[in-house]
Amino acid sequence: MLRLDEVTIAKGYTFVSPDKDFKVGVRNKAVTEPVTVRFKKIPDSYMLTPLEYAPGEKASDIWEFDILADDGSVGTLARPIYVALGITNDKMNRKVMYYWDKGQTAWRALPSSIDLENKLIRAIIYLPYARLAIFDEPDATVYEAKAS
């Protein structure tokens, strides 16, 4: 759990998990008042129902973050924040970052980009709370491309 004061809010800050497997980048002025950012790795055993709805094979740990106001309520974002998850498998399938939408009982894809060198997937998110994971697209996915 880390606290962002007014000085840090003005310049922004990136939180990095101890194993460097998860990052939350709170851009400058993404929040307008001091907040606390919490993040934790969620064991699969706590995500049995969501994992039943997985869109493919899990390719990362499941991480949760939330941004809290001083009174403990969910913080408000004025701008989107960045998140990054480490890839934990070596499959060549396309990988996509998702967040768990509990209300709809579904994983929702986030527009994301891959950093192969650092084995990370990065995304922009507009939510002050989310459970995130990377999933492989199923093996039967076929891509069309032009030969060079």
Side-chain angles (χ1 to χ4, degrees):
M1 190 166 6
L2 299 164
R3 177 135 170 85
L4 292 180
D5 59 19
E6 291 172 3
V7 172
T8 309
I9 288 170
K11 65 180 179 178
Y13 190 82
T14 299
F15 301 92
V16 181
S17 67
D19 60 5
K20 296 182 174 64
D21 199 32
F22 181 65
K23 298 177 183 182
V24 178
V26 180
R27 299 172 4 169
N28 64 321
K29 300 180 183 172
V31 292
T32 57
E33 59 187 17
V35 294
T36 299
V37 179
R38 293 188 311 192
F39 57 90
K40 64 182 173 183
K41 192 182 297 188
I42 306 292
D44 287 357
S45 60
Y46 292 128
M47 296 292 289
L48 294 178
T49 298
L51 287 172
E52 289 177 14
Y53 296 93
E57 184 179 331
K58 191 167 70 85
S60 74
D61 290 317
I62 299 171
W63 284 89
E64 174 184 272
F65 77 89
D66 53 338
I67 297 174
L68 302 171
D70 283 343
D71 65 3
S73 65
V74 175
T76 302
L77 294 177
R79 299 173 66 192
I81 60 174
Y82 295 94
V83 290
L85 287 173
I87 299 167
T88 58
N89 74 19
D90 291 324
K91 282 189 152 187
M92 296 302 291
N93 299 53
R94 181 171 177 260
K95 294 164 183 356
V96 179
M97 187 185 302
Y98 292 81
Y99 72 92
W100 174 245
D101 182 341
K102 187 176 181 179
Q104 297 296 312
T105 316
W107 289 97
R108 303 283 181 204
L110 290 168
S112 50
S113 62
I114 189 164
D115 175 350
L116 289 174
E117 186 176 326
N118 294 304
K119 292 188 71 172
L120 291 170
I121 301 254
R122 294 185 173 101
I124 294 174
I125 190 165
Y126 292 81
L127 303 171
Y129 164 83
R131 286 188 172 174
L132 304 165
I134 298 170
F135 293 99
D136 286 326
E137 284 194 343
D139 287 331
T141 303
V142 177
Y143 296 98
E144 189 175 311
K146 279 187 174 180
S148 54

